[in-house]
Amino acid sequence: EIRKLNEDLEKRVQERTAELQKLSEAVEQSPVTVVITDKNGNIEYVNPRFSESTGYNANEVIGQTPRILKSGEYSESFYKDLWDTILSGKTWRGEFLNRKKSGEEFWESTSISPIKNENGEIIHFVSVKENITDQKIIRETLRESEERFRAFMDNIPAVAYIKDESGKHVYGNQALFDNFEISSEKFIETTTK
């Protein structure tokens, strides 16, 4: 009977060890940054992606807080909202403009969640972050391009407009509104084929 209990216990330990190994490998090889802190925000773990993204190795940040990445871009109320959210047991989602060890700034989309023990008490926080710097640059480039397009179109004397594939007006220039004495809102509401 004791032998059977020991065999069952050993089998469960082996299964649990295999599960933990699989989870550990997944976090270590993840394409996103994973940071685990204690309940006070002191870093206890960072995956390799953290080092790739920030330039800091794990030994440099263990025991520090994520403030080492702080760009100075956000107000104290921003951080208060973040802490109020996670300390209430909820997940906080947002974006950060952070600073690498080199001083270079980069953008991250971040999700910070509390980790609770069996009594429901918060014991750690896990942050999962994705570098979105390239996406931000692309969006900003597109916004600037659209502004230039609109400025150009609004300053030509010829009437110009754009319709989508269904025939709905999506853009009209200032010459159109002036020549036909129509508001942009009224023009956008009209559809012609």
Side-chain angles (χ1 to χ4, degrees), residues 37-42 44 83 87 122-125:
T37 69
D38 65 15
K39 64 182 177 181
N40 298 315
N42 299 304
E44 293 185 348
W83 277 99
L87 288 172
I122 296 171
I123 55 171
H124 293 91
F125 295 103

Side-chain angles (χ1 to χ4, degrees), residues 50-190:
F50 176 89
S51 297
E52 293 170 23
S53 293
T54 68
Y56 289 100
N57 68 48
N59 293 333
E60 292 176 293
V61 298
I62 302 297
Q64 301 277 344
T65 68
R67 284 186 211 109
I68 62 169
L69 303 175
K70 200 172 180 181
S71 66
E73 186 72 20
Y74 303 99
S75 67
E76 289 303 314
S77 64
F78 175 87
Y79 293 105
K80 182 182 180 323
D81 174 60
L82 182 156
W83 277 99
D84 287 349
T85 300
I86 62 177
L87 288 172
S88 73
K90 297 177 186 161
T91 297
W92 182 89
R93 289 179 180 82
E95 294 179 355
F96 283 109
L97 177 61
N98 281 332
R99 191 176 311 278
K100 296 179 180 190
K101 184 178 179 179
S102 67
E104 178 186 352
E105 292 182 336
F106 67 107
W107 285 94
E108 289 183 305
S109 176
T110 305
S111 174
I112 305 171
S113 301
I115 300 172
K116 300 176 183 178
N117 65 14
E118 60 278 350
N119 298 324
E121 300 164 331
I122 296 171
I123 55 171
H124 293 91
F125 295 103
V126 61
S127 178
V128 177
K129 308 190 285 182
E130 180 179 10
N131 188 319
I132 59 168
T133 304
D134 291 343
Q135 295 168 2
K136 287 283 213 179
I137 291 169
I138 290 168
R139 275 188 250 149
E140 181 61 20
T141 301
L142 285 172
R143 186 191 62 74
E144 289 172 357
S145 177
E146 184 173 327
E147 283 180 7
R148 283 192 301 274
F149 167 78
R150 287 182 184 277
F152 170 76
M153 293 299 287
D154 282 340
N155 285 297
I156 61 172
V159 170
Y161 62 92
I162 299 172
K163 293 195 267 184
D164 66 14
E165 55 278 344
S166 69
K168 185 176 188 308
H169 291 123
V170 292
Y171 174 79
N173 72 349
Q174 195 59 48
L176 177 127
F177 303 135
D178 293 344
N179 286 337
F180 293 100
E181 297 178 354
I182 186 171
S183 71
S184 61
E185 294 80 18
K186 188 72 173 167
F187 175 73
I188 298 297
E189 287 175 9
T190 64

